[in-house]
Each structure stands twice: as C-alpha cells, then as structure tokens.
Amino acid sequence: MKKCAIINDLSGFGKCSLTVALPIISVMGAEAHPLPTAVLSNQTGYDSYKAYSLSDEMSLFADEWKKLGCSFDAILVGYFNDIRQLYTAQHFIKEFKRDNTILIVDPVMADNGSLYDGFTKEMCDKMKSLCLNADVITPNLSELAILAEEKPCNTVDDVISCGNKLLSLGVKSIVATGLKKDGIISNIVFENGEVNIVSANEVGGYYSGTGDILASVITGGMVRGMTLLESVRLATEFIEKAVTATEVENHNEGIYFERYLGDLI
Ligand code: PXL
C-alpha cells in the first residue's frame, strides 16, 4: 500500500489536522502514519485550550521510523506550535523524501488576516522555507499573502500575482484557497504554467478544519494517481457537501465530513 507521513497536531475537539487527515487518507486507500507535532485539548480557535508540544519527541519518533526503514509516497505537513518542530520537519523531509515522494505543505499560520494564536514571524519564515521545497502548497489567502510578503489578497488578480511570485521562488504548484465573491468560494490552482479556478457555493462562512480537509483529500488523491486539479475538484465538492450538511452553533467544531467519507473510497 502507498504510505503517507502526516506531520500535524492532534486536537481533541474542533475537527482539524490529524483527526481529519487520518480518516480521509485512509478511506482513500493509503496508509496514514501520524507524526504529531503537538497534542491539544481542542484547536486554538476556541476561547481556551491546553497545548503540549512534542518538539523533543518528534525527532525521537523520526529516528525510530528511520530504524524501521520506512519510506513514504507522500509527506503532508500542517500545523506547528513551536519553531523547533519546523526544524524537525525540515530534517524529516531531508531524511525521508525520495525523488518520487510527493511533498504537500499546508502552511497553517493564519486566517482572516490574523496569525493563529502562538504563531511568530520566525515561524512564518521557516514555514516559507518548507514551502519553497514543496511539490504542492495549499495556503489560504492570508497565508498566501504572508508567504509572498504582499498585502492581503482580495481578488483573482491579487492571488495570481502572489502565486506567480512564489512560483518564481521555486514552489512547484499552489492551491490558493478560499477566495469569496458573490456567494461563490474559489480555490485557485497553479500547475504546469496554467491557472485554473475550482469553485463551489459558499455555505455558512468560516468552519474549523476545512483547509486541513482540502489538503488531506489532495494528498489522498495524488498518491492514488489523480492530477492535482482532479484532486482539488474532488476536495472542493466534498467540502461543499459536508458544510451544507453541517448543523453546529459554534463553527469551531468543524464540519460533518464523516457523513461523506464513503464518497472518497
Ligand atoms: O485548521 C488549522 C488548525 C490546525 N491545528 C490547530 C489549530 C488550527 C486553526 O486554528 O488551532 C491546533
């Protein structure tokens, strides 16, 4: 079976990160191997949470994986809450990425123009260096602007100009997520010199974990041989269905993605 390493946090509530990546990648037919960056009571969007960094443990785990002789068809990188974890992820990629390993970096740093709680400028700079080596990055528009060191992106033209800047720095392909206009939400895909827009109806505003779900479906799709664009179409439809079915008062709880996992088999 194809094997994916997933470097991300484990949050007990607020469906995101490993709690969405593991079921999605598994149901899509690949082995999902978690390397947790941190364990949280719940994701950081809630008013209160407790977080425990696994900065020391991560590299010990990776050393054990090396002893097991494991190798990966894909590596998916997401949330960090400490700069040391970013260095460990960089080292992990150096150790485990082979020529045919797909590296997907979801540069989880910010949303709606604000950095996530605990995220520093130094961490953003390090995240940018991971992105420059990635095959695919999946920033939302706030993260895209941080990576490109530009003003916030509000239009397709803004997104294209930031995207092109990152491509010129060495990023191979980009899925810029969450451009909202007139009730439509669009993901803009930069690949092989082309720009394609994949859209869905915008239903209900912000929800926890939609970016993590998108990156997970893309990872599952690409390891099973789908193109990036096909994977983004599948992910966008999946999220639209799940958000439409979701009935939660607090959007920090995330979406009812479990209901549609069968569609990804
Ligand atoms: O969904 C992104 C994310 C992942 N992990 C944690 C978070 C967030 C966003 O707030 O807090 C712990």
Side-chain angles (χ1 to χ4, degrees):
M1 276 176 79
K2 297 280 172 98
K3 289 185 171 54
C4 304
I6 309 165
I7 305 179
N8 216 332
D9 68 274
L10 181 65
S11 286
F13 275 84
K15 291 182 257 185
C16 63
S17 312
L18 286 174
T19 62
V20 302
L22 296 177
I24 288 172
I25 290 172
S26 301
V27 86
M28 293 181 79
E31 288 179 13
H33 299 276
L35 182 63
T37 55
V39 179
L40 291 88
S41 54
N42 46 274
Q43 53 95 345
T44 65
Y46 289 93
D47 293 338
S48 169
Y49 63 91
K50 286 279 181 288
Y52 292 93
S53 293
L54 298 178
S55 311
D56 294 326
E57 291 77 6
M58 268 177 84
S59 50
L60 299 176
F61 283 22
D63 290 346
E64 295 298 324
W65 287 12
K66 199 80 208 167
K67 283 196 226 161
L68 294 176
C70 16
S71 63
F72 298 103
D73 300 287
I75 301 172
L76 169 61
V77 174
Y79 173 90
F80 301 95
N81 69 352
D82 178 325
I83 183 77
R84 284 188 300 146
Q85 297 160 5
L86 282 145
Y87 281 97
T88 304
Q90 185 181 40
H91 183 69
F92 181 95
I93 291 163
K94 217 159 124 204
E95 286 286 306
F96 287 94
K97 187 179 179 334
R98 302 167 312 198
D99 286 349
N100 56 352
T101 304
I102 307 165
L103 174 61
I104 298 120
V105 177
D106 184 13
V108 178
M109 300 187 284
D111 205 1
N112 291 317
S114 312
L115 286 180
Y116 289 133
D117 198 28
F119 230 85
T120 62
K121 165 88 174 65
E122 192 190 13
M123 290 168 77
C124 295
D125 291 345
K126 196 70 202 157
M127 188 68 103
K128 181 167 176 173
S129 75
L130 292 187
C131 286
L132 297 184
N133 287 313
D135 296 298
V136 181
I137 64 169
T138 58
N140 63 32
L141 299 194
S142 305
E143 292 155 350
L144 181 71
I146 293 170
L147 293 172
E149 298 176 39
E150 292 288 348
K151 292 194 300 294
C153 298
N154 297 311
T155 63
V156 174
D157 285 347
D158 291 346
V159 172
I160 289 179
S161 121
C162 284
N164 283 337
K165 192 164 171 185
L166 290 175
L167 293 176
S168 74
L169 294 175
V171 177
K172 293 193 196 66
S173 37
I174 305 171
V175 183
T177 66
L179 181 68
K180 295 173 184 159
K181 189 162 190 271
D182 301 332
I184 299 291
I185 184 158
S186 300
N187 299 316
I188 298 158
V189 184
F190 298 72
E191 189 190 27
N192 299 331
E194 272 186 32
V195 178
N196 284 287
I197 301 184
V198 179
S199 298
N201 292 311
E202 189 195 346
V203 204
Y206 160 84
Y207 284 95
S208 170
T210 51
D212 310 77
I213 292 173
L214 184 111
S216 302
V217 177
I218 290 173
T219 304
M222 291 186 77
V223 291
R224 113 180 158 187
M226 293 167 68
T227 66
L228 176 61
L229 191 56
E230 285 165 349
S231 308
V232 174
R233 289 201 180 110
L234 179 64
T236 306
E237 270 172 35
F238 178 72
I239 293 168
E240 185 187 28
K241 273 187 288 190
V243 173
T244 305
T246 300
E247 292 170 12
V248 287
E249 256 170 44
N250 184 347
H251 288 200
N252 281 316
E253 287 178 35
I255 65 173
Y256 289 5
F257 75 99
E258 298 89 338
R259 222 171 250 201
Y260 297 99
L261 280 174
D263 294 3
L264 298 176
I265 291 174

